[in-house]
């Protein structure tokens, strides 16, 4: 018998209304740490590129994962996989070196978030669901 490994999400956020959001934070930060420790401008440029490639590769992997399948039927879920980069500097470097990567990721249904904007994104999701519920109640 052959078993296939099932990707497990890192975090499942449970909202009080039963809605759920899944967050993945398996981003490799090795190139970023090396970038920060490097003293050579040439080496920093190469490591910044390597960091962006690492983030991009993770986006490509994450867009194929069906994390929404972890959420049971009848519960609300987000159509996006949320990719958390736990170091603000690593997130900023990615944006500085590849400003279109965030948009490309969003188009692939992967939202890249950092420490600074994770709570904002989670609150925006909750607010949009509440607004949807209010509009639905008004229409009914």
């Amino acid at each position: 018998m052959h078993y296939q490994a099932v990707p497990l999400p890192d975090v499942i956020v449970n909202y009080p209304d039963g809605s759920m959001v899944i967050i993945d934070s398996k981003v490799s930060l090795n190139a970023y740490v090396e970038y920060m420790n490097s003293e050579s401008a040439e080496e920093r440029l190469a490591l910044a590129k390597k960091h962006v490639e690492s983030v991009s590769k993770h986006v490509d992997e994450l867009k194929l994962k069906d994390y929404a399948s972890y959420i049971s039927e009848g519960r609300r879920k987000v159509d996006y996989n949320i990719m958390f980069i736990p170091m603000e500097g690593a997130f900023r470097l990615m944006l500085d070196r590849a400003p279109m990567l965030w948009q490309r990721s969003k188009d692939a249904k992967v939202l890249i978030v950092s420490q600074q904007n994770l709570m904002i994104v989670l609150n925006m999701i909750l607010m949009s669901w509440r607004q949807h519920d209010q509009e639905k109640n008004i229409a009914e």
Side-chain angles (χ1 to χ4, degrees):
M1 183 178 276
H2 176 44
Y3 292 98
Q4 185 174 3
V6 177
L8 295 175
D10 292 321
V11 175
I12 299 177
V13 177
N14 292 289
Y15 288 101
D17 68 353
S19 302
M20 302 171 85
V21 174
I22 293 177
I23 302 171
D24 181 282
S25 66
K26 296 179 185 93
V27 177
S28 172
L29 298 173
N30 294 337
Y32 175 72
V33 171
E34 290 176 31
Y35 168 87
M36 292 303 294
N37 291 326
S38 176
E39 295 179 15
S40 157
E42 185 177 292
E43 187 177 8
R44 285 173 67 89
L45 189 60
L47 289 166
K49 181 179 178 189
K50 187 176 175 184
H51 170 65
V52 167
E53 288 169 354
S54 174
V55 172
S56 182
K57 180 181 177 212
H58 190 67
V59 166
D60 290 341
E61 292 168 1
L62 195 53
K63 72 183 179 185
L64 300 176
K65 293 184 181 179
D66 184 20
Y67 280 150
S69 68
Y70 284 91
I71 299 174
S72 56
E73 283 301 315
R75 297 186 101 178
R76 274 198 273 211
K77 45 190 148 191
V78 175
D79 290 337
Y80 289 85
N81 286 328
I82 298 177
M83 184 174 111
F84 176 63
I85 297 179
M87 296 175 76
E88 194 66 34
F91 178 77
R92 295 291 331 155
L93 180 61
M94 182 256 332
L95 287 178
D96 290 345
R97 298 298 172 153
M100 295 308 296
L101 178 56
W102 193 91
Q103 182 65 46
R104 181 180 69 81
S105 302
K106 185 179 98 29
D107 292 345
K109 299 209 176 254
V110 176
L111 291 179
I112 304 174
V113 299
S114 67
Q115 289 175 318
Q116 194 170 28
N117 60 23
L118 175 61
M119 292 308 296
I120 293 167
V121 167
L122 292 175
N123 282 315
M124 288 178 69
I125 291 168
L126 182 59
M127 288 187 319
S128 69
W129 282 337
R130 284 182 179 161
Q131 182 177 358
H132 174 267
D133 290 346
Q134 288 173 349
E135 290 171 2
K136 184 179 173 185
N137 288 339
I138 290 169
E140 289 173 356

